[in-house]
Amino acid sequence: MSSNTLDTTDDTAIETEKAGISLTNLQKSYGDVLAVDGLSLDIEPGEFLVLLGPSGCGKSTTLRMIAGLETPTGGRIGIGDDEVTRMLPQKRGLSMVFQSYALYPHKTVGENLEFPLRKMDLSDEEVESKVERTARLLEIQDLLDKKPGQLSGGQRQRVAVGRTIIREPRAFLMDEPLSNLDAQLRVKTRFEIRELQQELGTTTVYVTHDQEEAMSVADRIAVMNDGELQQVGTPEEIYKEPTNEFVAGFIGNPPMNFFDASTDEHVQQLLGGGSSPADSLLPSETATLGVRPEDVHLHETTTADVANVSRPSDSALTDPITCDVTVIEPLGNAYELELTRDGETFIARVRALPQTVSAGETVEVAFDETELHAFDARGEAIR
Ligand code: ADP
Ligand code: MG
């Protein structure tokens, strides 16, 4: 089948209720490669869960095991009240969209949409009404008589999504569904997918390596690395309270700054006495200090001439440190400054920039004390 849409729903498995998906100690090895290493995760009914991680971390393998396209080498998969670990894909009542969105080229859009309904025992009226409803939902009513070759990339993607939802599966599985679209269309389409999912209320597992995409669509994000689940939480939890250095560095653009904090002397230099002594700001086992670019603030000494500089009161800032400004990048609504100090380079993101700050000059900056992240030698968050 040249289609990208796997119809893992058959007429006996059709259920329109929201089903949760539970993964218990799920494992998949290919010879020596442990692609998925003991993954346990409960996906709530109706939830939009994003599996996020770098290329090769095991996202697609996980999704393919949920779909039934790969057999786990260990663990268990449940959908709703059923254990499905070894159940045939077409019995699972799921629907999957892949990266490439090949449609049947000789069929019209309407026929492409209708195709997944063929194996179901439906009257012509029922088929027609489902096609009509799906087309309306995706705003492709005007395209029903066209062939895929006459459509833009974005329109073809909608038709592919339409084919996924038309059978009203128990859950949608999507593997990087937007990666073939250009940047602008990707942003637009991801909002549409999110909107559609909210409207339908169907449990969705969505795979991406793009943290920004994950943050913008997910109810919760499950961050994976090297076959292992690192953290699962709402976008805000993952951003604000990363459980380890990997998650902290993977989420956020520009990424979190990391500083060596293994010696008291260096910590003292970075954080100074401040309102609180440096050793009260960081636990003693701290090996690495993490500070997000937006939590690096220009100190009052350099912002006196700028109105509306939003930064915490000085009582919430560490002592100012002097750095060299190496690069200034204007972003329209903010500036990114690349700063160096004693050979350490880091990024500050500020709303407004005083005239006095320019590349090649020095500047005084301070960190927001309440937003410091501390990691131990194993990279685990301890503050
Ligand atoms: P992701 O989707 O996160 O990029 P994958 O799940 O595709 O990652 O792959 C995870 C790991 O498993 C990778 O190291 C990959 O090379 C390996 N892998 C995936 N599928 C196979 C396969 N069919 N045979 C051998 N190794 C595989
Ligand atoms: Mg993949």
Side-chain angles (χ1 to χ4, degrees), residues 30 33-36 53-62 70 175-176 207:
Y30 297 103
V33 179
L34 200 48
V36 176
S55 175
C57 73
K59 306 180 296 296
S60 293
T61 304
T62 302
E70 297 284 350
D175 194 349
E176 315 235 8
V207 162

Side-chain angles (χ1 to χ4, degrees), residues 58-104:
K59 306 180 296 296
S60 293
T61 304
T62 302
L63 203 70
R64 290 171 60 81
M65 287 193 282
I66 298 172
L69 300 172
E70 297 284 350
T71 308
T73 46
R76 177 188 182 279
I77 302 172
I79 299 176
D81 295 330
D82 308 323
E83 148 133 39
V84 302
T85 316
R86 297 186 184 271
M87 190 186 276
L88 286 171
Q90 57 274 21
K91 296 283 179 201
R92 296 189 186 199
L94 308 175
S95 197
M96 182 152 170
V97 186
F98 297 93
Q99 259 167 29
S100 58
Y101 43 82
L103 299 168
Y104 295 107

